[in-house]
Amino acid sequence: MPTNLKVIMKLFGFLISFFIVNVSTKLAFYKKMVLVTNEHIKLASDKNNFTIGQQRVANGLEHVILQLVDTIDPKNTHRDSVIFILNNMFAVLVWDFKEDLGVLAEHQQSIQYKIENYLKIDIPKVTNQDFYTLDLEQLGEERRSYTRIALNNILNRLIDSEKIASNLTSRIEERTVNPTKVKQKQIAQIVDSKRKVPLLLICRLLAVFISTKFPKLPITVVHDQPGIQACYLYDKFKTCQAYRDINRVWWIVNCENFNVTIRPLNLELL
């Protein structure tokens, strides 16, 4: 073998070895961050019925999820990347060579910082653990077992608030005869407080919730239809599922014709 070729082969082998060791080290660190975040999420999930300032909070994990989904990267209008981030925080937790392990680890640390900031729960210390041998699929299922319940509870409350608004409006129309201007204003404020659930918030929550149930088919795209309360979700095979608010009740609808209802959304929840 020519000398130059031997040198090239040795250099190539060194680079391959360096790459494998580097990836292995980064993957171990990512697994560590997932494990630490899982422990942090358990603590948040166990924190119930407390106050933050003047706000009453039913559950710590639900509060953190709502804050993250509602506020994460508000300047980013590229829905794919937002849902990708949220999925890797709460739902899928898998890795392939297309994804940057450093970025994924930052997502995990972001949850830790949020839990620490919102709930005043210190980041857990994890010791005496071989992070190289941790199973990401097992860690992911453990994470989803907590976040699935929290997301389900959040979505049920949002859907119920839409129903409450619809029912409240109907009762007001039936029972109120010639209300005064002051009364009209009070009624409007009550109804608005019950019914204003941002479409994008529901779409993102739905996308992540479905990913907690079907992590092998992560939902990566969310579309909303201008002027219509509807979400369009697509998995990696471009299979579509659409959801629409009809008279303050959320339905699974036909993707080709969103006037065709399939079944109520609440049947898809736990």
Side-chain angles (χ1 to χ4, degrees):
M1 182 181 293
T3 303
N4 289 344
L5 183 57
K6 288 181 179 179
V7 172
I8 291 172
M9 292 298 291
K10 286 182 179 179
L11 179 59
F12 182 73
F14 171 77
L15 291 174
I16 290 295
S17 299
F18 177 79
F19 174 76
I20 292 173
V21 170
N22 188 48
V23 169
S24 179
T25 302
K26 287 185 175 180
L27 183 56
F29 179 72
Y30 172 56
K31 290 178 178 180
K32 176 183 178 180
M33 289 297 99
V34 172
L35 177 63
V36 172
T37 307
N38 278 9
E39 295 302 313
H40 216 180
I41 279 175
K42 290 178 188 177
L43 294 173
S45 180
D46 290 339
K47 190 175 178 67
N48 297 303
N49 300 318
F50 60 100
T51 57
I52 297 178
Q54 301 298 316
Q55 180 184 1
R56 187 71 181 171
V57 177
N59 178 266
L61 179 55
E62 293 170 24
H63 178 71
V64 171
I65 289 176
L66 268 174
Q67 295 299 315
L68 276 166
V69 176
D70 197 25
T71 63
I72 189 171
D73 201 3
K75 295 181 181 178
N76 191 342
T77 58
H78 192 253
R79 304 293 164 76
D80 290 13
S81 63
V82 172
I83 297 304
F84 171 80
I85 291 170
L86 294 171
N87 275 342
N88 276 284
M89 285 181 167
F90 299 123
V92 183
L93 296 175
V94 295
W95 175 76
D96 61 38
F97 284 94
K98 296 182 292 184
E99 299 164 352
D100 187 310
L101 284 167
V103 172
L104 297 184
E106 288 176 2
H107 296 165
Q108 301 307 308
Q109 289 177 308
S110 177
I111 303 180
Q112 296 168 24
Y113 296 149
K114 294 295 184 183
I115 292 174
E116 186 176 43
N117 180 47
Y118 290 135
L119 306 180
K120 309 306 178 188
I121 300 176
D122 292 337
I123 298 174
K125 305 294 183 184
V126 177
T127 57
N128 300 323
Q129 177 73 56
D130 182 1
F131 302 113
Y132 287 90
T133 60
L134 290 173
D135 187 327
L136 270 179
E137 287 199 10
Q138 183 178 341
L139 290 170
E141 183 50 44
E142 183 179 315
R143 173 80 58 87
R144 291 187 292 273
S145 68
Y146 284 92
T147 57
R148 186 185 303 122
I149 294 171
L151 285 158
N152 175 78
N153 291 340
I154 293 168
L155 281 165
N156 268 314
R157 280 202 305 274
L158 293 180
I159 292 170
D160 285 344
S161 72
E162 296 285 271
K163 291 180 181 177
I164 289 169
S166 178
N167 293 337
L168 182 61
T169 303
S170 298
R171 289 199 301 270
I172 289 169
E173 290 174 350
E174 290 172 3
R175 299 179 184 179
T176 304
V177 180
N178 299 321
T180 65
K181 289 185 178 180
V182 172
K183 191 65 176 178
Q184 285 177 330
K185 185 176 180 180
Q186 290 174 343
I187 290 170
Q189 288 174 342
I190 293 171
V191 174
D192 284 346
S193 69
K194 299 290 185 182
R195 77 190 311 171
K196 286 185 177 177
V197 180
L199 174 63
L200 185 55
L201 175 61
I202 290 183
C203 290
R204 288 178 174 177
L205 287 167
L206 275 171
V208 184
F209 175 75
I210 292 171
S211 291
T212 67
K213 297 180 71 174
F214 307 105
K216 300 297 184 183
L217 298 173
I219 303 298
T220 56
V221 182
V222 177
H223 293 289
D224 56 89
Q225 184 78 14
I228 297 173
Q229 288 285 97
C231 304
Y232 294 81
L233 310 185
Y234 296 84
D235 62 26
K236 64 182 179 181
F237 298 112
K238 304 304 180 184
T239 303
C240 172
Q241 188 144 297
Y243 302 82
R244 184 185 175 192
D245 174 358
I246 301 175
N247 295 324
R248 300 296 168 184
V249 176
W250 277 85
W251 291 80
I252 301 172
V253 296
N254 187 292
C255 283
E256 302 299 325
N257 183 351
F258 44 73
N259 290 316
V260 177
T261 59
I262 298 174
R263 62 184 180 276
L265 171 59
N266 60 12
L267 295 183
E268 188 155 303
L269 302 177
L270 295 175

